[in-house]
Amino acid sequence: MSQSYPIQVRLPSELFVELKEVASSTNQTLPAVIRERLALASFFHQTVLSLRADLALSGALPSARGLAGHQPLHPAVLEGMLAEILMTLRYLASPQKIREAQASVECGGLPLWKPR
């Protein structure tokens, strides 16, 4: 049996309403949805840290340039990492947030990425 460490957290009203709706629509309790979201956030945080380390070792980050003995990652691996990150973010983001991000990209004069 896993141990529980109850904590109290004050949520912004918009987030509370969103989480309540998710809980209701998935037939879960609010604490279960919050635990699930925290676990997912922790997983993605660890994944991002790992990707940053890989990018630093590849020399793709300025702070890693000039490190002796590092093996650069193949460009296809870097493209795969980027595609995976983008697809994961699209899976997690609402359609409205995706449209907002795309509008920002277009304002910057960059082409939009579209999954195949």
Side-chain angles (χ1 to χ4, degrees):
M1 181 174 173
S2 67
Q3 292 190 0
S4 176
Y5 300 98
I7 59 170
Q8 291 185 358
V9 178
R10 194 174 305 269
L11 299 173
S13 58
E14 300 86 23
L15 180 57
F16 177 77
V17 169
E18 175 191 336
L19 293 173
K20 270 296 244 196
E21 288 174 359
V22 169
S24 176
S25 68
T26 59
N27 204 22
Q28 293 179 304
T29 64
L30 180 60
V33 170
I34 292 171
R35 278 192 301 274
E36 184 179 281
R37 292 275 178 108
L38 285 172
L40 191 60
S42 177
F43 169 77
F44 284 117
H45 177 73
Q46 291 303 317
T47 301
V48 167
L49 290 178
S50 175
L51 290 171
R52 283 182 179 164
D54 287 347
L55 288 170
L57 290 175
S58 75
L61 298 178
S63 62
R65 292 198 194 336
L67 291 177
H70 75 277
Q71 287 290 90
L73 292 177
H74 190 275
V77 173
L78 291 173
E79 287 179 21
M81 290 165 63
L82 179 59
E84 184 178 344
I85 291 168
L86 290 172
M87 290 170 63
T88 301
L89 290 173
R90 282 192 169 195
Y91 173 77
L92 295 173
S94 68
Q96 178 184 351
K97 292 293 185 187
I98 291 172
R99 285 190 298 274
E100 290 172 9
Q102 288 174 333
S104 295
V105 168
E106 286 179 322
C107 282
L110 299 171
L112 293 179
W113 174 79
K114 295 186 187 332
R116 294 179 193 170

